[in-house]
Amino acid sequence: MQQQALDLPVTPRYGFENFISCAGNSTALEFSRRITDPAEPEKLLYLYGPAGSGKTHLLHAIGRQLAGEQYQVLSCRNLTVPVATNPGSLLLVDDLDQLPDRPELRNALWEAFNQQYSSGHTLALAGRFAPKELPTIDDHLISRLLWGLVARLDVSDDRSRQMLIAKLAQDRQIILPDEVAGWLLTVLPRDVGSLVSACDALYRAALQRKCRISLRLARELVLQGTLLS
């Protein structure tokens, strides 16, 4: 009999109030709040850091602060021509490092960016790499990004990872005992993706076995290679 896949209930909450602030991302949080302040003249922000470090969370928090629920974060992975802006002329662009190497997309992004910037509207963009390391972005846009606020996010320290794994469990609506969370942080790689995969694997294993998440279950999955794969 074929086993049915289990859906994972992930309900991320994107707002400034529930962003996990730590030493590695406090500047990014400060700058994100800053560009949403009507009295603040700076309206351009670029965020960069590894996957899972909180860039997308902050883009959504900016959108929610300025437009309530009426906003959209565009991903460069599926960008279309022309580039659409949000109500109130808010431009939020994620995955800038993944923009396909296509001239029409680069031109469309540049035109949207330049129009927003020239009009004094708010722009927030994010990618994994620093501006000068973005692979398919032309020099004009790179230089413009450097005119605004730039912040790097890094959540690789122990305290940040501890706070992050607690939020991952909360978003997935699972009870993760402190002893399990603490032990996972000692055996898992330091990247955020490993923490996400571990939370998902623990949830699915506990659901399949109809048991609670425990240290015994976590250790068993590590021995099986499920959590460290």
Side-chain angles (χ1 to χ4, degrees), residues 162 165-166 176-186 188 195 215:
Q162 195 173 49
I165 200 169
L176 189 66
D178 291 342
E179 64 173 357
V180 177
W183 183 76
L184 288 175
L185 293 175
T186 66
L188 291 174
L195 297 181
L215 188 56

Side-chain angles (χ1 to χ4, degrees), residues 76-133:
C76 284
R77 289 177 294 180
N78 48 27
L79 202 64
T80 58
V81 178
V83 175
T85 58
N86 287 285
S89 297
L90 171 66
L91 182 61
L92 303 170
V93 181
D94 204 356
D95 307 310
L96 198 57
D97 56 288
Q98 298 183 52
L99 181 71
D101 191 11
R102 292 165 49 190
E104 70 274 16
L105 290 178
R106 283 197 300 272
N107 292 337
L109 181 59
W110 165 250
E111 289 176 5
F113 179 98
N114 201 38
Q115 182 179 1
Q116 296 293 100
Y117 187 86
S118 300
S119 301
H121 297 310
T122 302
L123 301 97
L125 304 94
R128 288 179 297 172
F129 310 128
K132 292 183 179 180
E133 298 173 0

Side-chain angles (χ1 to χ4, degrees), residues 132-183:
K132 292 183 179 180
E133 298 173 0
L134 292 167
T136 58
I137 305 299
D138 60 39
D139 292 340
H140 292 90
L141 184 52
I142 289 175
S143 65
R144 287 292 174 92
L145 291 177
L146 293 171
W147 287 2
L149 301 173
V150 178
R152 179 175 182 267
L153 291 86
D154 180 7
V155 293
S156 61
D157 63 283
D158 290 338
R159 176 58 179 159
S160 299
R161 292 167 72 235
Q162 195 173 49
M163 297 169 69
L164 179 60
I165 200 169
K167 185 178 189 302
L168 290 171
Q170 181 185 48
D171 287 348
R172 284 153 178 75
Q173 304 173 43
I174 61 177
I175 298 175
L176 189 66
D178 291 342
E179 64 173 357
V180 177
W183 183 76

